[in-house]
Amino acid sequence: MRKVTELDKNWIFVKGVKGIAEARVAEGVLVSLPHTWNAADGQDGGNDYYRGTCWYRLALQRPELKDGERAYLEFDGAAMTADVYLNGEKLAHHEGGYSRFRVDITEKLIETGNELMVAVDNSDNSRVYPQKADFTFYGGLYRMVRLVIVPKAHFSMDYYGGNGIKVTPVVTLAENGEETASAVVTVEIWAEGSAEYVTVTVADETKQAAVTDGYAKVEFHLEAVHLWDGVEDPYLYTARAELESGDAVEVRFGCRSFRIDPQEGFFLNGRSYPLRGVSRHQDRKGAGNALTPAMHQEDMDIVKEIGANTLRLAHYQHAQEFYDLCDENGIIVWAEIPYITMHMNGGKENTLSQMRELIIQNYNHPSIICWGLSNEITAASAVNEELLENHRELNDLCHELDKTRKTVMADVFMLEIDSPMLEIPDINSYNLYFGWYLGEMKQTDEFFDEYHSAYPERCIGFSEYGADANPAYHSAKPDRGDYTEEYQCIYHEHMLRMIEERPWLWATHVWNLFDFAADGRDEGGKHGENQKGLVTIDRKTKKDAFYLYKAYWSRENFIHICGRRYVDRTEEVTKIKVYSNQPSVALYVDGIFVEEQKGSRVFEFEIPISGSHKVAAQAGEYRDEIIVKKADEINKEYLFVKEGDIVNWFDKEDFHEDCYSVGDTLGEIAKSPEANAIVQKLTAKATASRGDVAESVKDNPALQRMMQRMTLQSMLKQAGDVIKPEEIKALNDALQRIKKVTD
Ligand code: GCB
């Protein structure tokens, strides 16, 4: 029997001390695990959260060890690198903040007074990923640490944090005439410490096999297999393996088959099963990344509520508890390592070891169907032989460790579609932000159509898309870059229509289900947060766009009126938008019936307003209600761009349609040498502010073409603070004096 003790209490945490001598005697503070030292400063922005070495100290009782038993420490997550010391001696060094590792301490334990010390470091370096990315790199022992005592002969404890058992079900689906599917389930085990035989039980059948050189393989044939069938029926089997020493491991697995077709998308167990879902980061307000089981469960409850059937667990290995929840709830998962944004010359070994750990530790989860090699890796790195080689090695490693799953990459929009990068993984996916960071929403449609017609034999997905929204911000004229809930809705309405018309997209993942901490950000009225979530970082507010997805995906009947936070409205006639999965919606104002609409998911009404009104929408027994009030002036609390900023120079009455303006595309402006010349000066300044973007535009004809379709205003907004609103206004005034060149 193995004995497992959680070491969650009585740790002394010492911050900002480099050497062990000092850390041993430092007073420190008492903490419990999970713990991160960036729970507060990693979330309030400004790039100044603490990145460095901190220490965790624990007085460890010597466990009683009998008959050759061994004692291991098991760390589920120490971010980002860890050095483990027992009684002053360094026993292990681990690089990678998201995976499990173990340390054998058997020989180093002393009779009394054992002192465990762990130095954890999240400072920057040039070896361990991630180093450059849009999220906070929390430091700490932010997942559980355990003491595990195993008998002399035990399942492997020393191999990349795995648990020594690999279960591979191969399903044969029912064909004409047959009623049920069958499966061959291969159970492989690895043992250390001279085991002789293993007893394996799967679905009430028990078999024994000899263990040779620490390895054994047993096969089971399951007739009438109960499939793991996604959200409909995520049935899990258990495999239990026991050595003669009494050491036992138990894992759950699922029998399912899948395939991905470049024209028809994803198939689960032989039937079309379009993957439509969201991404998730592992953090939340106040806790940082030190999440409790209840927090994981709450996240999964929200995934279920929105009705997603897939999750991209970005941008690193998530907690075992969460992959377990995905298994139990039938959610199809994209798992990945943090090889992100920027390739590092000295980082290849780390990408390989993080991938090894990801696969070995997560192989048995039926929810996972692909391994992500990298994310937007060409955003700040050129496509050269070194980058290609790193990807080829990762790709080969995945196939060597796992014959059953696909490899995938999340490509940045400026990666040319004919790049050799795209030929490496089995399938691909693009992150596109047209309509948010740049360009117009419909460029997304055009991009995918171009890709699909150029490469009809390739599987392509939509791995990221989104628009930031601060639920405090509102507008009757939502616009790109205004951070309003209303623009986020319009953006996602477009994307959902776009996706529906392209069933060949093998998977689509909204970026992101939850707002998350991104220390480098300071925008949209919040510090240190990426607000592309459909739900706020504290999980308390579901933004309106959440209900749009729910209307598309969920079978739980509901009705939702948008704009409950947009109370004060200056317009005489206001728009009331309702999201529902019901076929018709009736609207009432102040208790009086106004109109009933038949439709699908998005229902739009217009009502005149004069005072304070109670607006209700009803579909059968489902009902929702909001209050709106006629206001004389715009409520400043609703605006990201506050008073004094220049917002709407288009509203001027003297706007000349026959002259140029910042609302024209770069392509249109280029037709007039005069207009082009004055624009060039400002755009040069804008692109210079984003060195990485400027570089890629220069060498990238596809991107240049795309930029021709962008409005000047979109392009300038990219530059953020570099171009002042006054400068844009002056530019617009100058353009308004130049007559348009007609073809
Ligand atoms: C991306 C990245 C993701 C960012 C996202 C954004 O493409 O992959 O990590 O958070 O864009 O919101 O800009």
Side-chain angles (χ1 to χ4, degrees), residues 26 32 35 37 80 88 162 179 222 228 234-235 243 266 270 294 356 388 449 521 539 649 663 668 703 705-706 708 713:
S32 299
H35 176 263
W37 61 77
M80 298 286 181
E179 297 207 331
L222 304 185
W228 185 90
Y235 184 82
L243 300 174
F266 190 84
R356 239 177 232 287
L388 290 166
D449 291 343
R521 288 185 180 257
R539 281 34 174 187
W649 51 84
E668 281 167 307
L703 194 55
R705 274 199 309 280
M706 249 183 290
Q708 292 304 298
Q713 190 180 21

Side-chain angles (χ1 to χ4, degrees), residues 134 315 375-376 431 433 437 464 511 516 521 530 532:
D134 179 34
H315 281 306
N375 177 73
E376 299 204 341
N431 299 351
Y433 287 96
Y437 290 121
E464 277 183 33
W511 191 258
F516 58 91
R521 288 185 180 257
N530 184 314
K532 292 191 189 67

Side-chain angles (χ1 to χ4, degrees), residues 96 98 126-133 135 137 312-317 334-355 358 371-395 398 408-412 421 424 431 464:
Y98 305 95
S126 54
R127 296 180 322 282
V128 185
Y129 287 96
Q131 289 298 333
K132 190 174 164 133
F135 57 94
F137 304 148
R312 178 171 171 218
L313 295 182
H315 281 306
Y316 38 71
Q317 183 171 331
W334 162 326
E336 67 191 42
I337 55 166
Y339 184 24
I340 180 166
T341 319
M342 181 187 69
H343 171 83
M344 298 188 291
N345 295 340
K348 187 168 80 182
E349 279 319 308
N350 187 252
T351 63
L352 294 170
S353 74
Q354 291 209 43
M355 185 61 89
L358 177 73
W371 305 115
L373 306 182
S374 65
N375 177 73
E376 299 204 341
I377 199 67
T378 58
S381 306
V383 178
N384 57 24
E385 190 44 38
E386 182 178 315
L387 183 77
L388 290 166
E389 185 49 26
N390 199 332
H391 279 77
R392 283 190 212 107
E393 284 189 38
L394 274 174
N395 194 54
C398 293
V408 65
M409 247 166 47
D411 305 313
V412 67
M421 283 292 280
I424 297 174
N431 299 351
E464 277 183 33

Side-chain angles (χ1 to χ4, degrees), residues 75-89:
F75 296 84
D76 277 0
M80 298 286 181
T81 61
D83 289 300
V84 181
Y85 296 78
L86 190 66
N87 304 322
E89 186 181 345

Side-chain angles (χ1 to χ4, degrees), residues 97-153:
Y98 305 95
S99 47
R100 172 178 286 172
F101 65 97
R102 300 193 186 96
V103 187
D104 184 345
I105 55 169
T106 318
E107 314 298 342
K108 305 293 173 183
L109 285 161
I110 52 177
E111 273 314 311
T112 53
N114 284 284
E115 182 193 58
L116 169 63
M117 299 212 44
V118 189
V120 187
D121 182 359
N122 69 338
S123 56
D124 53 353
N125 62 61
S126 54
R127 296 180 322 282
V128 185
Y129 287 96
Q131 289 298 333
K132 190 174 164 133
D134 179 34
F135 57 94
T136 296
F137 304 148
Y138 297 100
L141 287 181
Y142 72 99
R143 292 184 190 149
M144 196 43 71
V145 177
R146 298 177 200 89
L147 176 68
V148 184
I149 311 295
V150 289
K152 178 163 183 277

